[in-house]
Amino acid sequence: MTVISAALFGTDWRPRLPGGAELLRECAARGWTVVLTGPRPPGLPVLTVADPGGEPVRAALELVDGEPQHAVAVAGSVREVLAARRFGVACVALEAGGDAGPELRAAGAVEVHRDAAALLGVLDDSLLARPRAFGRVDAGTGGPRSG
């Protein structure tokens, strides 16, 4: 399961984020359950939490009865990385959201990529392709732990 912040793409779904639509299509083509925390862009086969409220990661997990250890969040801000940590979900961050790599890592992001196109280029080697291999992320602590 992949939880992707709609904030990375903008509310009008214009191609603001390089590779954004392609990343969503590829994740769906691989059979991964993709949940967007915001409105669904037209023509993309993903689930959405249209009104995620204050806890978008929790809302996305509840939508599909997902388990945190089987999910990966794709975030674009320190705030979104921290939201994933609160629920024990490992996180891949994109600098295109506005925050810098060191800030995103300090917040608990396991991987940081320039944008969705850069993540798509290394998708097979990314955390998105192997969430269980990463192990557990303790809620609230942000530190990756194996086991």
Side-chain angles (χ1 to χ4, degrees):
M1 172 185 170
T2 303
V3 178
I4 298 181
S5 167
L8 290 169
F9 301 92
T11 56
D12 57 4
W13 288 95
R14 290 189 181 139
R16 167 187 120 138
L17 185 64
E22 293 84 1
L23 176 63
L24 294 176
R25 282 189 192 98
E26 180 59 27
C27 289
R30 291 174 181 228
W32 300 345
T33 301
V34 177
V35 180
L36 291 173
T37 58
R40 182 174 69 91
L44 293 177
V46 295
L47 300 172
T48 61
V49 179
D51 184 16
E55 298 293 354
V57 175
R58 179 184 54 77
L61 289 170
E62 287 177 357
L63 178 68
V64 296
D65 291 326
E67 296 293 328
Q69 67 271 22
H70 298 160
V72 177
V74 178
S77 70
V78 166
R79 181 184 57 80
E80 292 170 349
V81 173
L82 294 173
R85 280 181 42 194
R86 266 195 306 279
F87 291 96
V89 174
C91 188
V92 172
L94 305 179
E95 290 180 306
D99 290 329
E103 296 164 335
L104 295 164
R105 284 197 185 279
V110 177
E111 296 175 12
V112 176
H113 302 277
R114 182 182 69 252
D115 55 28
L119 174 55
L120 185 59
V122 297
L123 192 58
D124 287 332
D125 295 321
S126 78
L127 180 62
L128 285 177
R130 52 183 172 74
R132 289 185 207 175
F134 177 71
R136 202 179 79 169
V137 174
D138 285 341
T141 65
R145 297 220 170 123
S146 56

